[in-house]
Amino acid sequence: MTGRCPPSLATFTDLYELTMAQAYWREGLTAEATFSFFFRSLPPQRGYLVAAGIDQVVTELEQFHFTTDDIAELQRLQRFDEDFLRYLSGWRFRGTVRAVAEGTLVFAHEPLLEVTAPIIEAQVVETLVVNRLHLHTLLASKAARVRWAAGPHRQVIDFGARRCHGLEAAQAAARCGWLVGFDGTSNVMAGLRYGIPLYGTMAHSFVTAFADELAAFRAYARTFPDSTTLLVDTYDTVEGIKHALRVAAELSQQGHQLRGIRLDSGDLLTLSRIARELADAAGFPQLQIFVSGGIDEYAIEQLVRQQAPVDAFGVGTKVGVSQDAPYGDCAYKLVAYNGQPRLKLSEHKQTLPAAKQVYRFYDAAGQMLYDQIALADEPSPPGGQPLLHEVMRQGQRVVPPPTLEQSRQYFRQHWAGLPPVCKDLHQPAPYDVQLSVALHQLTQKLVAHWGHRLETPRHQG
Amino acid sequence: MTGRCPPSLATFTDLYELTMAQAYWREGLTAEATFSFFFRSLPPQRGYLVAAGIDQVVTELEQFHFTTDDIAELQRLQRFDEDFLRYLSGWRFRGTVRAVAEGTLVFAHEPLLEVTAPIIEAQVVETLVVNRLHLHTLLASKAARVRWAAGPHRQVIDFGARRCHGLEAAQAAARCGWLVGFDGTSNVMAGLRYGIPLYGTMAHSFVTAFADELAAFRAYARTFPDSTTLLVDTYDTVEGIKHALRVAAELSQQGHQLRGIRLDSGDLLTLSRIARELADAAGFPQLQIFVSGGIDEYAIEQLVRQQAPVDAFGVGTKVGVSQDAPYGDCAYKLVAYNGQPRLKLSEHKQTLPAAKQVYRFYDAAGQMLYDQIALADEPSPPGGQPLLHEVMRQGQRVVPPPTLEQSRQYFRQHWAGLPPVCKDLHQPAPYDVQLSVALHQLTQKLVAHWGHRLETPRHQG
């Protein structure tokens, strides 16, 4: 493949999307279809999901087309008809997309995004749409749990760059962390790309590069006299803390201030207490205690509950790969074709038919009460706020994408309305999601037609 | 950031790599350092790891430099000295890299790759090196388990594209699957990029787009009369199988042959038996039974043990995210600076000092007996085959990279030498990894110097 451009974004598709496309095309199935992206269930211990990746999908759908090189490569596969490939080479995504806003809290069965387009177009983009929305939503949801566990007064910094599954996933993790309220990232590429504040401390290799720990600490402090956080666990942690405080005293004499110390291994509760006591006794009550080392929302919750004197958490590996839920049970399903509702009945995988809207109901204090999943074309229920909005028409954006800052702000407001019982990290109360009478009846009717029983959320009482 | 190029690969680094670099630079620490990438331990239930991502790292290190735009962005952060940034702008990676071959079986503590370069250069590439080697090794190791579980006569196809963590991870999953002996991928981009055979069946949406299942099956078969695999679980699986066999009969009358049916949900053992019996009874003993739907090596092992009549497995989600081990405990550690060995002693994270070599010992039949981790500069032990070879000198490749086919071939040969007890999916026998006397003594000496006890593999003899 030397000498040609790398395959374009459009080739990020499962082969069957293209073979099905050829079959649709040959059979004259060119009518409009609606596909719905949703999660069938929430991952274990999750009370909510944070929808993310929406705007990246829309941006990529605007650019989605097969290049001349792509077509030549597809031709070489000897699976596709010449006339179908000709059709594909002139193809652009011209569909309509309705989606929730980036940072919206969503629940099982609720569509995050719906694509309406001639069926081939809506089908071929499936792999890309699912990949983006799945990953970003997974990472944003994990990060929201971490942010919540840390409480409002401790900083949380994304340290996931080296263990996320690729550079792309690392950018997503940094971005999703910022979306849900992290304070920064260590990932320079993400910081530059998204304008996220950059944080950094030092590595063990820095310490071991010098003849001894104190020499390493002094060297770093000389270079960054007002922004140094010293990593103290390379050899003996308590000794390391004492060395750091000696450097703090030296900096202080020169009119500077050591920012903090970082604990990256061992018994973080005990060590943070020792560090705090020693720092306070040495006259450095403002010295920050920064904790990292394989921690996630569960470890943070425990440290916070035990009142560990920690000022900031660095979260990497377990958060960046969503360790306890590295995938979610999501789907992109055909829900209507040519104006007719469709559904799938496979065991445990039944879908709800037709294009939908989700209405959210709040109490007078702004707390979320319940959601109703309804047909997109039924009248809005009084008091319900619709979550899905048109973002793309005929393949073009109809509204400018929100900035990341706007999405962060939106998430913060939204999050305040989620009942605290739904935020629990272990046994969150299920949030009430109902079906509209019309959607329930339509589903029943179609299921009866296909001779199966229904297993979906109860309809509204 | 409008109007500028996106941040270059070099910016995929944690901020502290750059702040440490500035400190090294100001302090005049410019001597050569060696960093070693290894896994501290194997993930749960793993008896081995398959080293991968080596050649991607080498290719990217050849290109690793900061662009003018990157430097301008870094300047805006107001953390770096002008003269350091000037230094950085002329910077290229000029180090030496020694590594095991792509597809080599490796074990805890064994270096997969070692970088020797002026310390700043070796330090700044850490984030990229760790990200690449971690992900690819994780995915190749998971895939090797799947390939083993399926046995030599059943096909395994990568279906991970939509659930892998990003497009990049999806390409890695497809490539790593092929490396360890998968038969193909559904991912068109990966197929085109790496020359991996492409496979595809059909989606539920195709079936639901038609008025009924039989109409959908017939339409697909008309388009691909000799390469159709029908997905039979959209409504009622047994009915679906019968519909598929009807289409098989129709194709047969026209001189064509239905390739297979695909089961994607439900009790896969029972359904595969029903499918086989019905297909045989209908006179289609060659009809393939293709199974998918959230399966991994554990599900495959069980189906194989129960003699499920399955001809091919499609593995997606759980394999593409390495679900039971979405991260590995790996590290990139300074092991020597300016000719002096270095180590880190943090709890449970102690490293072995100095540049190393790994020797592999085989019995007369070609079975692996044990490995010895030794100092790179001690004499080779008789009969030991060295695993690390120089691949890059002064920032340039010294040998052309193997093709993916060569690596696949290399893995296959290598794999045949691994004792079967080490391949077990649940309680693999630990493979014997020893330290050379010289390495053991050096480690002891350094640990004694720093006043700590040693927790590393036992030394030889």
Side-chain angles (χ1 to χ4, degrees):
Chain A
M1 253 153 292
T2 324
R4 68 179 289 274
C5 297
S8 79
L9 200 62
T11 68
F12 186 66
T13 186
D14 290 290
L15 182 69
Y16 75 8
E17 311 288 8
L18 296 180
T19 58
M20 290 189 290
Q22 175 158 319
Y24 287 139
W25 185 78
R26 280 184 55 138
E27 296 287 323
L29 270 78
T30 53
E32 286 221 322
T34 298
F35 281 74
S36 189
F37 177 87
F38 61 96
F39 283 78
R40 290 191 191 93
S41 58
L42 301 180
Q45 301 186 291
R46 303 293 198 268
Y48 56 86
L49 291 170
V50 180
I54 310 283
D55 291 302
Q56 182 166 352
V57 163
V58 173
T59 300
E60 292 180 344
L61 288 180
E62 281 194 311
Q63 301 156 359
F64 201 95
H65 75 283
F66 293 91
T67 64
T68 313
D69 278 344
D70 295 334
I71 298 292
E73 289 287 336
L74 292 177
Q75 202 162 22
R76 250 172 266 170
L77 296 177
Q78 300 188 315
R79 286 168 189 263
F80 300 105
D81 295 347
E82 287 301 315
D83 40 4
F84 171 67
L85 289 177
R86 244 190 319 275
Y87 156 78
L88 211 58
S89 70
W91 188 92
R92 285 199 85 87
F93 178 77
R94 293 158 304 159
T96 295
V97 177
R98 294 161 57 251
V100 303
E102 188 90 1
T104 299
L105 295 164
V106 292
F107 305 90
H109 296 286
E110 297 184 344
L112 281 70
L113 180 141
E114 293 195 334
V115 172
T116 299
I119 191 166
I120 295 180
E121 300 180 24
Q123 182 82 64
V124 168
V125 302
E126 172 174 19
T127 311
L128 182 69
V129 168
V130 172
N131 186 289
R132 293 303 189 206
L133 297 182
H134 171 257
L135 175 64
H136 287 247
T137 299
L138 205 65
L139 293 176
S141 304
K142 180 75 172 174
R145 293 164 63 80
V146 170
R147 176 68 273 176
W148 165 248
H153 305 304
R154 291 176 192 84
Q155 289 193 316
V156 180
I157 313 296
D158 159 51
F159 276 6
R162 61 190 67 180
R163 300 287 180 83
C164 283
H165 288 189
L167 272 59
E168 206 186 304
Q171 310 322 305
R175 185 183 180 281
C176 289
W178 184 250
L179 173 68
V180 302
F182 280 17
D183 300 277
T185 180
S186 66
N187 178 340
V188 175
M189 184 182 271
L192 299 183
R193 183 168 284 170
Y194 302 119
I196 303 170
L198 285 165
Y199 281 75
T201 60
M202 64 168 52
H204 297 105
S205 51
F206 187 85
V207 178
T208 55
F210 288 79
D212 61 59
E213 193 177 53
L214 197 52
F217 286 1
R218 283 175 173 149
Y220 196 93
R222 268 194 298 275
T223 308
F224 299 100
D226 294 303
S227 60
T228 289
T229 297
L230 297 170
L231 178 64
V232 295
D233 72 333
T234 304
Y235 304 111
D236 177 291
T237 305
V238 176
E239 280 306 302
I241 294 168
K242 289 177 185 165
H243 287 152
L245 293 173
R246 207 154 130 193
V247 172
E250 291 165 7
L251 279 172
S252 177
Q253 281 164 10
Q254 297 151 27
H256 298 293
Q257 194 169 300
L258 182 65
R259 180 179 288 168
I261 63 157
R262 174 175 166 211
L263 303 165
D264 190 48
S265 60
D267 174 351
L268 297 169
L269 174 63
T270 304
L271 291 171
S272 65
R273 285 181 178 157
I274 292 171
R276 184 74 276 152
E277 277 167 29
L278 292 176
D280 289 352
F284 300 106
Q286 84 300 333
L287 189 82
Q288 283 197 349
I289 297 176
F290 197 106
V291 160
S292 60
I295 58 176
D296 57 11
E297 71 269 40
Y298 305 110
I300 290 175
E301 183 185 45
Q302 206 174 343
L303 286 167
V304 167
R305 188 182 296 140
Q306 293 166 321
Q307 298 186 291
V310 173
D311 301 291
F313 294 102
V315 292
T317 304
K318 289 183 183 168
V319 179
V321 304
S322 188
Q323 177 263 334
D324 63 337
Y327 68 92
D329 183 20
C330 61
Y332 177 84
K333 290 295 164 194
L334 180 72
V335 294
Y337 178 67
N338 202 11
Q340 298 301 308
R342 299 297 160 109
L343 87 179
K344 164 187 169 189
L345 296 170
S346 316
E347 253 181 87
H348 307 303
K349 290 187 173 178
Q350 188 189 307
T351 56
L352 294 168
K356 293 174 215 51
Q357 180 56 278
V358 180
Y359 295 98
R360 185 151 289 171
F361 294 81
Y362 294 86
D363 68 13
Q367 287 278 291
M368 290 161 57
L369 283 174
Y370 65 93
D371 287 1
Q372 186 193 82
I373 310 179
L375 298 173
D377 58 8
E378 64 178 296
S380 314
Q385 293 190 10
L387 297 187
L388 290 132
H389 298 281
E390 191 176 273
V391 289
M392 193 170 207
R393 195 184 309 140
Q394 295 196 310
Q396 302 286 320
R397 270 186 195 283
V398 291
V399 282
T403 64
L404 181 53
E405 283 309 306
Q406 287 169 335
S407 296
R408 181 174 153 100
Q409 190 65 29
Y410 176 82
F411 171 78
R412 197 188 348 240
Q413 290 163 0
H414 213 70
W415 176 256
L418 183 66
V421 288
C422 298
K423 296 175 182 173
D424 187 86
L425 300 179
H426 307 278
Q427 293 195 301
Y431 179 73
D432 190 11
V433 177
Q434 310 178 346
L435 303 190
S436 73
V437 173
L439 175 57
H440 183 74
Q441 286 175 346
L442 175 65
T443 309
Q444 291 287 20
K445 198 180 91 184
L446 289 171
V447 170
H449 173 73
W450 294 99
H452 284 260
R453 290 179 58 80
L454 180 65
E455 289 178 52
T456 48
R458 67 186 173 82
H459 70 92
Q460 188 175 8
Chain B
M1 251 153 293
T2 324
R4 68 178 290 275
C5 298
S8 79
L9 200 62
T11 68
F12 186 66
T13 188
D14 290 290
L15 182 69
Y16 75 6
E17 311 288 8
L18 296 179
T19 58
M20 290 189 291
Q22 175 159 317
Y24 287 139
W25 186 78
R26 279 184 57 136
E27 297 287 323
L29 270 78
T30 54
E32 286 221 323
T34 297
F35 281 74
S36 190
F37 178 86
F38 61 96
F39 283 78
R40 289 191 190 94
S41 59
L42 301 179
Q45 302 185 291
R46 302 295 197 268
Y48 55 85
L49 291 170
V50 179
I54 309 284
D55 291 302
Q56 183 167 351
V57 163
V58 174
T59 300
E60 292 179 344
L61 288 180
E62 282 194 310
Q63 302 156 359
F64 201 96
H65 75 283
F66 293 91
T67 64
T68 313
D69 278 344
D70 295 334
I71 298 291
E73 289 287 336
L74 292 176
Q75 203 161 22
R76 249 173 266 171
L77 297 177
Q78 299 187 318
R79 286 170 189 261
F80 300 106
D81 295 347
E82 286 302 315
D83 40 4
F84 171 69
L85 289 177
R86 245 191 317 277
Y87 156 79
L88 211 59
S89 71
W91 187 92
R92 285 198 85 86
F93 178 77
R94 293 158 304 160
T96 294
V97 177
R98 295 162 57 250
V100 303
E102 188 90 1
T104 299
L105 295 164
V106 292
F107 304 91
H109 296 286
E110 297 184 345
L112 281 71
L113 180 143
E114 294 196 332
V115 173
T116 299
I119 191 165
I120 295 180
E121 300 180 24
Q123 181 81 67
V124 168
V125 302
E126 172 174 18
T127 311
L128 182 69
V129 168
V130 172
N131 186 289
R132 292 304 189 206
L133 297 182
H134 172 258
L135 175 64
H136 288 247
T137 299
L138 204 66
L139 293 177
S141 305
K142 180 75 172 175
R145 294 164 63 79
V146 171
R147 177 65 273 178
W148 166 248
H153 305 304
R154 290 176 192 83
Q155 288 194 317
V156 180
I157 312 296
D158 159 51
F159 277 5
R162 61 191 67 180
R163 300 288 178 83
C164 284
H165 288 189
L167 270 59
E168 206 185 304
Q171 308 324 302
R175 186 183 179 283
C176 289
W178 184 249
L179 173 68
V180 302
F182 279 17
D183 299 277
T185 180
S186 66
N187 177 341
V188 175
M189 184 182 272
L192 299 183
R193 183 168 284 171
Y194 302 119
I196 303 170
L198 284 165
Y199 281 75
T201 60
M202 65 167 52
H204 297 105
S205 51
F206 186 86
V207 178
T208 55
F210 288 79
D212 60 61
E213 193 177 53
L214 197 53
F217 287 0
R218 284 176 172 148
Y220 196 93
R222 266 195 298 275
T223 309
F224 299 99
D226 294 304
S227 60
T228 289
T229 297
L230 297 169
L231 178 64
V232 295
D233 73 332
T234 304
Y235 304 111
D236 177 290
T237 306
V238 176
E239 281 305 303
I241 295 168
K242 290 177 185 166
H243 287 152
L245 292 173
R246 209 155 128 191
V247 172
E250 291 165 7
L251 279 172
S252 176
Q253 282 164 10
Q254 296 151 27
H256 298 293
Q257 194 171 300
L258 183 65
R259 179 179 289 169
I261 63 157
R262 174 174 167 213
L263 303 166
D264 190 48
S265 60
D267 175 349
L268 297 170
L269 174 64
T270 303
L271 292 171
S272 65
R273 286 180 177 157
I274 292 171
R276 185 74 275 154
E277 278 168 29
L278 292 176
D280 290 352
F284 300 107
Q286 84 300 335
L287 189 82
Q288 284 197 346
I289 298 177
F290 197 107
V291 159
S292 60
I295 58 175
D296 56 12
E297 70 269 42
Y298 306 110
I300 289 174
E301 183 185 44
Q302 206 174 344
L303 286 167
V304 168
R305 188 181 296 140
Q306 293 166 323
Q307 299 186 290
V310 173
D311 301 291
F313 294 102
V315 292
T317 303
K318 289 184 184 167
V319 179
V321 305
S322 187
Q323 177 263 334
D324 63 336
Y327 69 92
D329 183 19
C330 61
Y332 177 83
K333 289 295 164 194
L334 180 71
V335 293
Y337 178 66
N338 203 11
Q340 299 299 309
R342 300 296 161 110
L343 86 178
K344 163 186 168 188
L345 296 170
S346 316
E347 254 181 87
H348 308 304
K349 290 187 173 180
Q350 189 190 306
T351 55
L352 294 167
K356 293 175 214 54
Q357 180 56 278
V358 180
Y359 296 98
R360 185 150 291 170
F361 294 81
Y362 294 86
D363 68 14
Q367 285 279 291
M368 290 162 57
L369 284 174
Y370 65 93
D371 286 2
Q372 186 194 83
I373 310 178
L375 298 173
D377 58 8
E378 65 178 299
S380 314
Q385 293 191 11
L387 297 186
L388 290 132
H389 298 281
E390 192 177 272
V391 290
M392 193 171 208
R393 195 184 308 141
Q394 294 197 310
Q396 302 286 319
R397 269 185 196 284
V398 291
V399 281
T403 64
L404 181 54
E405 283 309 305
Q406 288 168 336
S407 297
R408 179 174 155 100
Q409 190 66 28
Y410 175 83
F411 172 79
R412 196 187 351 236
Q413 289 163 0
H414 212 70
W415 176 256
L418 182 67
V421 288
C422 298
K423 296 175 182 173
D424 188 86
L425 300 179
H426 306 279
Q427 293 194 301
Y431 179 72
D432 191 10
V433 177
Q434 310 178 346
L435 303 189
S436 74
V437 173
L439 175 57
H440 184 72
Q441 286 176 347
L442 175 66
T443 309
Q444 290 288 22
K445 197 180 92 185
L446 289 171
V447 170
H449 174 72
W450 294 100
H452 282 263
R453 291 180 56 79
L454 179 65
E455 289 178 53
T456 49
R458 69 186 171 82
H459 72 90
Q460 187 176 8

